Each structure stands twice: as structure tokens, then as C-alpha cells.
Amino acid sequence: MLPSVVLCMALLASAAAMTCPDGRVTQDGSSCCLSPSGVYTSCPLPHAVCCEDHLHCCSESSTCDLEHNKCVNATESLEMVKRIPTRLLPKSSQMIPTFSEDTNYRTMCADKTRCPTAYSCLKTGDAFGCCRLKQGVPCSDGKHCCHKGHKCSEDGRFCIEQKDSKLFEKTRDVPCDDTTACPDNATCCKTTTGGWACCPMPEAVCCDDHVHCCPHGTKCNLASSTCDNATSSIPWLEKLPTINRQSAKGQDVPCDDTTACPVNATCCKTTTGGWACCLMPEAVCCDDHVHCCPHGTKCNLASSTCDNATSSIPWLEKLPTINRQSAKGQDVPCDDTTACPDNATCCKTTTGGWACCPMPEAVCCDDHVHCCPHGTKCNLASSTCDNATSSIPWLEKLPTINRQSAKGQDVPCDDTTACPDNATCCKTTTGGWACCPMPEAVCCDDHVHCCPHGTKCNLASSTCDNATSSIPWLEKLPTINRQSAKGQDVPCDDTTACPVNATCCKTTTGGWACCLMPEAVCCDDHVHCCPHGTKCNLASSTCDNATSSIPWLEKLPTINRQSAKGQDVPCDDTTACPVNATCCKTTTGGWACCLMPEAVCCDDHVHCCPHGTKCNLASSTCDNATRSIPWLEKLPTINRQSAKGQDVPCDDTTACPVNATCCKTTTGGWACCLMPEAVCCDDHVHCCPHGTKCNLASSTCDNATSSIPWLEKLPTINRQSAKGQDVPCDDTTACPDNATCCKTTTGGWACCLMPEAVCCDDHVHCCPHGTKCNLASSTCDNATSSIPWLEKLPTINRQSAKGQDVPCDDTTACPDNATCCKTTTGGWACCPMPEAICCDDQKHCCPKGYVCDMLVQTCRSSGSPSSPWVQRKPAMKEMPTDVVSSSSESSRQKCDPFSSCSKDTTCCYMNKISKWGCCPLPEAVCCGDGEHCCPSGYKCNVKRTTCSRDTLVIPWYSKMEAEANQVPRTSVKCSMKDGCGSGTPCYQLPSGQLRYCPLAKAVCCSDMQHCCPSGYTCDLVGRSCTRADHRWDGWDEFITKRKPLIHL
């Protein structure tokens, strides 16, 4: 029965794909295993055990025997399975709202709104949005988009390439009925209940017990539980569960980064060290590196068979692999001076030189002229490429490339003109130069056309002829201006410019636009342009010359020459806003920033709206003729001396300026390329514009028609830690910070209190990031563990999400997103969670969905790990009062002389506001981010924003600002003789009244209005108290105002 057990594992592997915690994706039905580098690898088994050598894995319920390289369980011992690389999905692009129809953007949506010219307009629900990809597809979340030819992941964060469905059509699942199917090369068999099960063989025989099956050509022997034919008898196989046809998928099996095998096949090494495919799952690769055998058998090299204990079958020949993706476009070197194009093979010629066969790992035929595909043999007699099953015509080799010219440098024609790399300079009829886009081309005598190397121009038939064939000739292209080829922008005026090798053209408004060709012709419609040497045909929207007509091109926006340098927008001499932002006045006459170019500053001096809209103060919206959107709140300005642009985030701590691209450095950090959607070069130092490729050999950025110098990346910006703002679900609802919006059964929204959570398909529950919802068991599963799922919570009304207090009664309230709970005295206290459960001890509380366990003092939920309960905080008085809180000094713990936290909480310093905060847990661990904390015994995982202990992982807790220590507000009458108790006399007025500081041994400031604690110095300019190791920045909170006393 061993083969059936392993086949069961192989077929289960086609059930579902898994996303690892680092965003990488495993093959279908595999498991994620963490490597020492922090990158996850893939084990091709479901729910696998990851071995400690970080190279192998074993099936579920097995243990790794590293000494013998075996997977051991109670009944059997199997070979360890080798892990394979995972695949990192590309991230999706963030969409932006559309603009009004009166904006100067060329991309128009169906509702007459507009998008920037380089963007695509995509329908998102009932509205439209702008995707910064020229050909994009919208994600289901309505906020992201992917390139055409991709589909979005379920959460909209990643883009998945849609492979050609015609490739390997044999790997489609076998349908049993409308809802169930079996894997490729399996057979559907009826079960005892009338349903379906799968026999993992094609055209199998379904046994009458409705449980087992046998191979094609055999009979089921119910008495002996075997499959019999005339010559042998083998154990029968047990059927496997069917696949839900909606979730049925078949992905290729990767061999390495560039090659793969079809689904349910096995990668095997070849004699040359490459890869070939055995079309069986978990097959045995034979030592001859040519053949393979089914799983559970052994290769018999002497008899060319696959043997097991009971039978022997002929072995199988491996097939060529699939090219996983086109390589990075590097040429294949033949020797120091010649090379072949990417994915070609170098073959010797009759003269001892080199020629190119346009296939990878091709077979070079002995005639030194032709070649055949990998896995075939050259048949010189029939001029074919043969293998065991077929014969195809052989191919003729092509000329090699000169490696010196393969470095991507332009080919100079004279001192001022050049042709692109791998092109040829040809004279024109005027005595100038034109470019033939082929190396060593033949320039035809008409001075207009050219032919490939090794052919002759046939002027009579307009063809390029050689001894065996004739092809149409090619028309030459314009040359490049060598001075402009140095990569500098082309200035249009003092403030605008176009990219290198582009042309400045006037717009309909008198401004400038860019035509991305050198010396282009600007058309009279002021919108389009044509190549040099052609004319604009306004009637047909084409670019015409004497012999041909091509579609005209649309101009692109210019570059702001000041903003192209990444400079901030100055508001005055000391303040500035980030690039592409707008300075707006505040209520105090200062400045704030609206993060949009040419924004409208609203009259409330707090909000702003996009260009082309109006501020509606009554409804707090930005309105135009067709739509209304919520207005935006302005942000603080930047100190111009330390001005930093923080628009494009690279990770939690670094960012690049707006319209720039984050690129990895050689050390694994980040650098900035000052272009949107730029290409990050593999040297980890340079970058290229979108739509070009990095040419490492020539240090250039190349496309089909031109080559420009590459750019060096710049350092990133240190991001300021973001504030805990709510997560918007739509215009009216939101979830708390670090939560996830999930759809409900009614089409509305609910909140999962974890970042990047998985929304379960029942529309009621959710699971942590990196796990999957198991609807059958109501759990969240990953490769190593299973925990109960969580129930979502109601969303927050975004109008009330602006931080309004939660009223407990007419005089007391709790902070936003907290819960009022009764105290033992009949008053109120605050639980720092929305809709929390108030525990019966009237001191603690638990999250919604949990139960207070009074015995062990924890919060628990059915079947899930317990979580420490939370100490409530005193409620706030809503009305001003002179009555001091009745809580005694002993019920609070001091963080320093001026602030304290309630008992059973922990003082943690909050780096962002430079004040003390309170963690709502006793003896808590203060996290290094300065914002959060974890229960005692847990560790803070700042990267994943969680608290962990062994295998238990829970969300971390947010600190709350500590309370200032209060002093009695009643006046004290005393004489100068008795010194007024514990206060410090500071200044006597001419009337005889005495002003004093209500701090013992205080330092009296020279302004005769303030004082500082003992050991501090008064800083009147900075309005703070300072000492060598600390500084209090909040004058009003930490410097006590002196109070007058009445002298008796």
C-alpha cells in the first residue's frame, strides 16, 4: 500500500496554493518552511514537517531522521523530500481618484471624469479610478490594479501572471460532474454513497467495492485485494477525494529560476547538468540522466525497466523543460568577441567560427550549418530532427553578434550623429546618415532601404536575397543626436523639460508637452507628434512620408525642472511642503500642507480639496459637476533645513520622494530612483526608466529603438513613524488602526482586529495573515499549527472616527474606541477596546468575543489561546471641576515626578510624543517602536506588529498617554513665616502677596511666571525645563504655573 500513500500525497498537492508569511507563494498544495536567511522555501507536501537541516521536509505526522535522511512514522520509513524555492509575487499598484472633466488630462473615463495621460481609467464598482499602469486591470478591492495579463490576489495586494491557457492543455482536471473533478491523468469512480472519488491513473478500472481501483488492462481481484493480468499481480490502489472544480488549478513545477516542468511532473537532472521532465509526480530519476520511473519503483539500468517487489514495467524517457520566463535578456557568449542572443545556442561553423541556433541547449548538427531542438537528433540523410516519436525539419543557424557592440553603446556615424546598439549607419540621399536596425547590415543603393548581413539588395523586387531565400527589405530609421545622447533632459524653458532624446512641443494652452523622439515633428493639433522626416496628416491621424504611413503619437507631460531634482515646495523661508504638494494657510497664520499639486485650500484653514473641485464647508466634501468626495485634512509642513519627502514608502522606516521608485541595494537596504515605475538594475546601484531594460555591459537603458545612460540611485528618506489612523473601508465606515476591513454577508463591512488579516468565505470570521480559513473545522491553519478563527467586529462610523470621546453619563466619558465599564464604587472606568466585555470584578475587561476567566485572570475564547486581561483606566470628567480625583496616591504608579499610570498597568516611554504612556497590562514588555507593548513573558515582533511566546502569537497592545500628576486647586492661605507647606516661595509682589511654586524645592524661573523641578534649568526660549540627560518639551504640562497666595 506504500505507493498509494505517496500518490495520495502527490494528488493532494494539487488542491490549493499557499502564501507564505513573507509574501512568497508555494506551488500547489505545498508547505512553507522558514530558512535561516529569513526567506521561506517550499516543501512539495501539504502540512509538511520542516526538517532542521533547512534543506528537507517530511510528510505530516512524520519525524525527520537527519542521520539516515529518512522520514519516519509509526509504520514506515521514507526518503526525505528536498525543499524548492518559493516565488515572490509582484505587488499591485495603488489607484487614485479620477479628476474632473475640465482638467487638462487626456485619458477620459465613461462618466466623463479624467485620468492623467499615462494612467488607465478603470471601473471600480459604481465609480471609476485611475491606475498608473497604461494597460491595467482593477482589483476587487477597488483600490489597486495590476498589469494587463495579470489577475489580482484576493486581498488586492499582489499581481498573479495569467499564463497562456493553451500551454500543456493535457494538465486540465478530469471533470466527474458539474461540481467535482479528478486531477489530470486520473479516473473518476463512483463511491458507496453515489458520489465520486479519484483513481490516480488514466483509464483506470473502478473496483466493485467502490473503494479501490486498478490500472488499465488489469482486473480487480476482490478476494486477494490485487490487480491482475495474464502475467502479473500487483496490490490495488485506494481512491482519493475529488477536487472542487471551482478551486481546481494546475501550476507548473519549477526546476530552478528559469525552467519548469508541467503540473504533476518531476524535475530530473540531465547529463549536461540542466533539467528535464518526467511526466509523473515524485518520480524516480534514473542514474543515466535520460530516463525515469514511477514513484515507489527502482530504475533497472541493465534491463531498462522500472521494478518493484511484484512487477516490472518499461522505463520512460524524460522530456524538455519549459522556459519559466524570458531571462533578463543577456546574450550567450560564444568566445571573447562573438555571442548569440538570449535563449540561443552557439554552434561551430565550417570555417571554425560561430553561428547561432535560436533555441536553448540546441543540438549542433555535424554539417556545421543546421541545428535541432534539445532532446532530438540530427538526421543528415533526411535533413530532419528526430526523436522516438516524431520527426521535424531542421533549422538553419543564424549569424552571431559582435560582443564589443553587444555592450549597448551607440554606433557613431560621425561626430554629431549615431545609431542604436546593434544597428548600422547608412548614407541617405542628402548625404546625411540613417540607421538600419541590424548589425553589419547591407546599405541598399537607393539610400533608403537596407538588408541583413549576408544578403543582397534586389532593387527590382524590393527584397533581400541570398542563395536560398528572399525576404522584404527594411526601411532605415533616423539617427540619434550624439550630444543629446548623454542622458541630460531637454529643457523647454526655465521651469519645464523633456526626457533625453525627446522633443519639446507646444500645447493648446501655450505650455509644453514632450514627444518621445529626437527632432520630432510637432503636429498642428498641439496634441500629437511624428518622427523626424515625416509629416503630420491631421485628416488620417498618421505620420506620412513618401513610402509609408504610421499612426501618430500622443505627447506626454513635461518634467518640472525644479521638481525633477526632488526639491520640496517652499511656503516661506523656514517651512516647506513635499514635492507635488500645496502650501495652505492655517488658522494661526502659519502653513500646512495639502498633499496634492495645485490643491484648493478650504476656508476653514484645516482642510483642502483636489485641483478642479470646490470646498463644501457644509458637507465637508470636495465637489465638482459630477461627483462629491470627502475633503482632506492638511498635514504639518517640513522644516526647510531638514526638508524630507516621504511620499513613496519602501518599508516601515524608509521612503523615496513622490514619483520615485524604491530599489534594493547591495546590502539588502533601499535606494531611490527618481522616476515613477522605474526598472531597478541588477547591479543594485543604478536604474532605468519604465519601458526600458538595464544593459549592465554598457551601463545604459535600452529599448527597441534607443539607448540612454542609466541613472544612479539616491539615498532613501527616514520615514517618520506613521500615526495610528483608522483604516477606511469606504467613504462612511472604517476599522481601527492595525485592523482589516472584511465584507459581510449583506455586502457591508466588518473589522478583523489584525493587520492584513484573511477574510473567511463565510463573511463572519477571519484569520491571521499567513494562515488559511478552514470552514469545516472553524480554524485558522498554516503549515505547522491550527488555531480557532476570530469573529469580526462592527465597523466605526467614519464621521465619528475622528477621535470623539465615548460618553459614559452626563459628566464622564472614555476615549475614542474605548468602552465604559462600572467600577466597584458605582462610578465609571474605561476599557481601551471598542465594545469590550466588562469583567465581574469591576476592575478588568476583555476584547469582544472573549469571556473573563476570573479564576486564572485571563480572557479566553472557546478553543483559542487565552489572552491577558486588561486593567481599566479611570474615566474622564467632561465638565471642568476643581475637585481632584478621589483615587489615592497609592492606587497609581509614578512614571516620573509629573506623570503616572494606574495600578496594574506599566509605564512605557512613547518616543513619538516624547512623553510617558501607559500599557494596559501589568509588568508589560515595552516594544522598541515606542508605541506598543506586549504581556509579560512575550516578545515584541516589531516587523509583524505582534506579541509572541513560543508558538503563540497575539496582536500587540497600544499604549495610552499617561496622566499628569494633579495638585489641589484650592487656594492656600499662609504667612511667609510658615512657608506655605511643601511649596516653594518664589516671588513677593509689591502688595505683599506671595507667589509660590507648588513643587518642593522647585527652581524659580526669571520670568516670575513659571518654575521647574529641582535639578532642571528654565529654558524660556524653548518654553521647557531641561537638564543634561532629559528635556521636557511640553511647557504647559510639565512646567507648573505659579499660583498667588494670600498673605495674612
Side-chain angles (χ1 to χ4, degrees):
M1 294 297 294
L2 177 58
S4 66
V5 174
V6 180
L7 278 172
C8 174
M9 291 179 184
L11 290 175
L12 283 174
S14 66
M18 173 180 287
T19 302
C20 300
D22 61 352
R24 292 176 177 267
V25 177
T26 69
Q27 291 299 313
D28 289 346
S30 299
S31 304
C32 298
C33 289
L34 183 63
S35 65
S37 65
V39 175
Y40 280 84
T41 56
S42 174
C43 176
L45 298 171
H47 309 297
V49 177
C50 302
C51 298
E52 294 178 357
D53 65 351
H54 300 293
L55 298 174
H56 298 87
C57 56
C58 290
S59 61
E60 188 178 18
S61 303
S62 299
T63 57
C64 302
D65 183 352
L66 299 180
E67 182 177 356
H68 301 95
N69 291 327
K70 296 287 185 180
C71 299
V72 182
N73 61 22
T75 59
E76 58 193 5
S77 176
L78 301 173
E79 293 292 330
M80 284 184 177
V81 179
K82 192 170 183 179
R83 302 186 200 172
I84 60 177
T86 51
R87 181 164 52 94
L88 186 61
L89 293 176
K91 289 188 176 181
S92 59
S93 296
Q94 183 84 32
M95 295 180 67
I96 63 173
T98 56
F99 295 83
S100 65
E101 60 180 320
D102 56 353
T103 54
N104 190 27
Y105 290 134
R106 304 297 303 175
T107 303
M108 180 174 288
C109 305
D111 62 353
K112 295 187 178 180
T113 57
R114 293 178 181 266
C115 291
T117 304
Y119 284 61
S120 57
C121 182
L122 304 179
K123 189 171 179 60
T124 57
D126 296 331
F128 289 86
C130 298
C131 173
R132 67 176 185 173
L133 307 174
K134 188 67 175 176
Q135 291 184 310
V137 292
C139 297
S140 59
D141 65 354
K143 301 176 182 177
H144 298 83
C145 59
C146 290
H147 278 288
K148 185 178 179 181
H150 292 70
K151 62 181 180 179
C152 305
S153 60
E154 291 183 4
D155 57 7
R157 295 173 55 242
F158 298 102
C159 297
I160 305 168
E161 184 179 2
Q162 292 179 313
K163 295 184 178 179
D164 189 348
S165 61
K166 294 182 180 179
L167 290 176
F168 303 99
E169 290 181 349
K170 296 179 182 178
T171 63
R172 293 177 178 172
D173 294 317
V174 179
C176 300
D177 55 26
D178 290 340
T179 58
T180 55
C182 287
D184 183 40
N185 286 326
T187 304
C188 297
C189 290
K190 281 285 187 179
T191 64
T192 54
T193 61
W196 294 99
C198 298
C199 187
M201 295 175 290
E203 301 183 48
V205 178
C206 303
C207 297
D208 291 338
D209 68 345
H210 297 293
V211 178
H212 297 86
C213 59
C214 285
H216 178 73
T218 64
K219 293 184 179 180
C220 301
N221 188 328
L222 300 183
S224 60
S225 303
T226 57
C227 303
D228 301 342
N229 62 16
T231 58
S232 66
S233 177
I234 61 172
W236 62 9
L237 300 177
E238 189 168 340
K239 303 170 193 169
L240 302 176
T242 55
I243 303 166
N244 187 321
R245 290 191 71 188
Q246 292 179 339
S247 63
K249 297 177 183 178
Q251 294 181 349
D252 294 326
V253 178
C255 301
D256 55 25
D257 291 340
T258 59
T259 55
C261 287
V263 63
N264 286 331
T266 304
C267 297
C268 290
K269 281 284 188 179
T270 65
T271 53
T272 61
W275 294 98
C277 298
C278 186
L279 293 185
M280 296 176 289
E282 299 185 49
V284 179
C285 303
C286 297
D287 291 338
D288 68 344
H289 297 294
V290 178
H291 297 88
C292 59
C293 285
H295 181 77
T297 65
K298 291 184 178 179
C299 301
N300 188 328
L301 300 183
S303 61
S304 302
T305 58
C306 303
D307 302 342
N308 62 13
T310 60
S311 64
S312 178
I313 61 173
W315 61 9
L316 302 177
E317 189 168 343
K318 305 168 193 168
L319 299 180
T321 54
I322 306 162
N323 190 334
R324 288 190 70 193
Q325 55 184 343
S326 58
K328 296 178 180 177
Q330 295 180 349
D331 294 323
V332 178
C334 300
D335 56 24
D336 291 341
T337 60
T338 56
C340 286
D342 182 39
N343 283 328
T345 304
C346 297
C347 289
K348 281 285 187 178
T349 64
T350 53
T351 61
W354 293 98
C356 298
C357 186
M359 295 175 292
E361 299 184 49
V363 177
C364 303
C365 297
D366 291 338
D367 68 344
H368 297 294
V369 177
H370 297 88
C371 58
C372 285
H374 178 76
T376 64
K377 293 183 178 179
C378 301
N379 188 328
L380 300 183
S382 61
S383 303
T384 56
C385 303
D386 302 341
N387 63 14
T389 59
S390 65
S391 178
I392 61 173
W394 61 9
L395 301 177
E396 189 168 342
K397 304 169 192 169
L398 301 177
T400 56
I401 303 167
N402 189 322
R403 290 194 71 189
Q404 291 179 344
S405 67
K407 296 180 180 178
Q409 295 177 351
D410 293 325
V411 179
C413 300
D414 56 25
D415 291 340
T416 60
T417 56
C419 286
D421 181 40
N422 283 329
T424 304
C425 296
C426 289
K427 281 284 186 179
T428 65
T429 55
T430 61
W433 294 98
C435 299
C436 187
M438 294 176 292
E440 302 183 47
V442 177
C443 303
C444 296
D445 292 338
D446 67 345
H447 298 292
V448 177
H449 297 88
C450 58
C451 285
H453 178 75
T455 65
K456 292 183 179 180
C457 301
N458 187 328
L459 301 182
S461 60
S462 303
T463 56
C464 302
D465 301 343
N466 63 16
T468 60
S469 64
S470 177
I471 60 172
W473 62 9
L474 301 177
E475 189 168 343
K476 303 169 193 170
L477 300 178
T479 55
I480 303 167
N481 188 323
R482 292 191 68 189
Q483 292 179 343
S484 65
K486 297 179 180 178
Q488 296 178 349
D489 291 326
V490 178
C492 300
D493 55 26
D494 291 339
T495 59
T496 56
C498 286
V500 63
N501 284 331
T503 304
C504 297
C505 289
K506 281 284 185 178
T507 64
T508 53
T509 61
W512 294 99
C514 298
C515 187
L516 294 186
M517 296 175 290
E519 301 184 49
V521 178
C522 304
C523 297
D524 291 338
D525 68 344
H526 297 293
V527 177
H528 297 87
C529 57
C530 285
H532 178 74
T534 64
K535 292 183 179 181
C536 301
N537 188 327
L538 301 183
S540 61
S541 303
T542 56
C543 302
D544 301 343
N545 63 15
T547 58
S548 65
S549 178
I550 61 171
W552 62 8
L553 301 177
E554 189 170 339
K555 303 170 194 167
L556 299 180
T558 55
I559 305 166
N560 188 324
R561 294 187 68 188
Q562 294 178 342
S563 66
K565 300 176 181 177
Q567 295 178 348
D568 296 314
V569 178
C571 300
D572 56 26
D573 290 340
T574 59
T575 56
C577 287
V579 63
N580 284 332
T582 304
C583 297
C584 289
K585 280 285 187 179
T586 64
T587 52
T588 61
W591 294 98
C593 298
C594 187
L595 294 185
M596 295 175 291
E598 301 182 49
V600 178
C601 304
C602 297
D603 291 338
D604 68 344
H605 297 293
V606 178
H607 298 87
C608 59
C609 285
H611 178 73
T613 64
K614 293 183 179 180
C615 301
N616 189 327
L617 301 184
S619 61
S620 303
T621 57
C622 303
D623 301 343
N624 63 16
T626 59
R627 62 184 300 191
S628 178
I629 61 172
W631 61 9
L632 303 176
E633 190 167 340
K634 304 170 194 167
L635 300 180
T637 54
I638 305 165
N639 187 321
R640 291 192 68 189
Q641 293 178 340
S642 63
K644 299 176 181 180
Q646 301 174 345
D647 297 298
V648 180
C650 300
D651 57 23
D652 291 340
T653 58
T654 55
C656 287
V658 66
N659 286 330
T661 304
C662 297
C663 290
K664 280 285 188 178
T665 65
T666 52
T667 61
W670 294 98
C672 298
C673 186
L674 293 185
M675 294 175 290
E677 298 183 58
V679 178
C680 304
C681 298
D682 288 339
D683 69 340
H684 298 294
V685 178
H686 298 88
C687 58
C688 285
H690 178 74
T692 65
K693 291 184 179 180
C694 302
N695 189 327
L696 301 184
S698 61
S699 304
T700 56
C701 304
D702 300 341
N703 62 16
T705 60
S706 64
S707 176
I708 61 172
W710 62 8
L711 303 176
E712 189 164 343
K713 304 169 193 168
L714 301 179
T716 54
I717 303 160
N718 189 341
R719 293 184 69 194
Q720 296 179 350
S721 55
K723 300 179 179 178
Q725 296 177 345
D726 293 322
V727 179
C729 300
D730 56 25
D731 290 341
T732 59
T733 55
C735 287
D737 184 36
N738 284 328
T740 303
C741 297
C742 290
K743 279 284 186 180
T744 64
T745 53
T746 62
W749 294 98
C751 299
C752 187
L753 294 184
M754 296 174 289
E756 300 184 45
V758 178
C759 304
C760 297
D761 290 338
D762 67 345
H763 297 293
V764 178
H765 297 87
C766 58
C767 286
H769 178 73
T771 65
K772 290 185 178 179
C773 302
N774 189 327
L775 301 183
S777 60
S778 302
T779 56
C780 304
D781 303 342
N782 63 16
T784 58
S785 65
S786 178
I787 62 172
W789 61 9
L790 302 176
E791 188 167 343
K792 306 168 192 167
L793 300 179
T795 54
I796 305 165
N797 188 319
R798 290 191 72 187
Q799 292 179 341
S800 65
K802 297 179 180 176
Q804 297 176 351
D805 295 325
V806 178
C808 300
D809 55 25
D810 291 340
T811 59
T812 54
C814 286
D816 182 37
N817 285 329
T819 304
C820 297
C821 290
K822 280 285 187 180
T823 64
T824 53
T825 61
W828 295 97
C830 300
C831 183
M833 295 175 286
E835 300 186 52
I837 305 297
C838 303
C839 297
D840 291 338
D841 67 347
Q842 297 185 316
K843 293 182 180 178
H844 297 87
C845 57
C846 288
K848 181 184 177 182
Y850 282 72
V851 177
C852 302
D853 190 327
M854 306 300 296
L855 183 62
V856 296
Q857 299 186 352
T858 59
C859 303
R860 61 179 175 82
S861 178
S862 176
S864 66
S866 61
S867 174
W869 63 6
V870 180
Q871 175 80 28
R872 307 175 193 167
K873 292 194 67 177
M876 303 176 291
K877 292 293 181 181
E878 287 199 317
M879 302 297 291
T881 177
D882 287 339
V883 179
V884 181
S885 172
S886 60
S887 60
S888 65
E889 189 72 21
S890 62
S891 68
R892 303 188 62 78
Q893 55 174 318
K894 290 186 176 181
C895 302
D896 60 19
F898 315 105
S899 54
S900 63
C901 293
S902 60
K903 195 175 181 181
D904 293 329
T905 65
T906 305
C907 291
C908 288
Y909 197 69
M910 302 176 72
N911 296 335
K912 187 186 296 185
I913 61 175
S914 300
K915 298 178 182 178
W916 285 98
C918 301
C919 180
L921 302 168
E923 301 181 23
V925 178
C926 303
C927 297
D929 71 332
E931 297 291 324
H932 299 86
C933 55
C934 287
S936 175
Y938 284 72
K939 292 183 179 180
C940 302
N941 189 327
V942 177
K943 184 177 181 180
R944 298 187 181 175
T945 64
T946 57
C947 304
S948 59
R949 184 181 67 191
D950 298 328
T951 60
L952 181 61
V953 178
I954 62 173
W956 61 6
Y957 293 78
S958 295
K959 306 169 190 172
M960 294 173 290
E961 189 175 332
E963 296 181 6
N965 293 334
Q966 302 184 27
V967 296
R969 295 188 179 181
T970 55
S971 298
V972 179
K973 293 184 178 182
C974 62
S975 64
M976 293 182 64
K977 179 180 179 181
D978 58 34
C980 301
S982 62
T984 302
C986 275
Y987 182 70
Q988 186 174 14
L989 298 174
S991 62
Q993 290 181 327
L994 183 67
R995 292 185 181 271
Y996 93 114
C997 178
L999 296 173
K1001 300 181 181 179
V1003 177
C1004 304
C1005 299
S1006 60
D1007 67 346
M1008 295 186 262
Q1009 293 293 322
H1010 298 87
C1011 56
C1012 287
S1014 176
Y1016 284 78
T1017 302
C1018 301
D1019 182 356
L1020 300 182
V1021 176
R1023 295 179 62 81
S1024 62
C1025 299
T1026 61
R1027 69 182 185 196
D1029 61 341
H1030 207 296
R1031 173 187 179 92
W1032 294 116
D1033 290 322
W1035 178 270
D1036 292 333
E1037 286 194 38
F1038 298 103
I1039 302 178
T1040 306
K1041 191 81 177 251
R1042 303 172 188 164
K1043 290 182 170 290
L1045 292 180
I1046 307 300
H1047 179 65
L1048 294 176

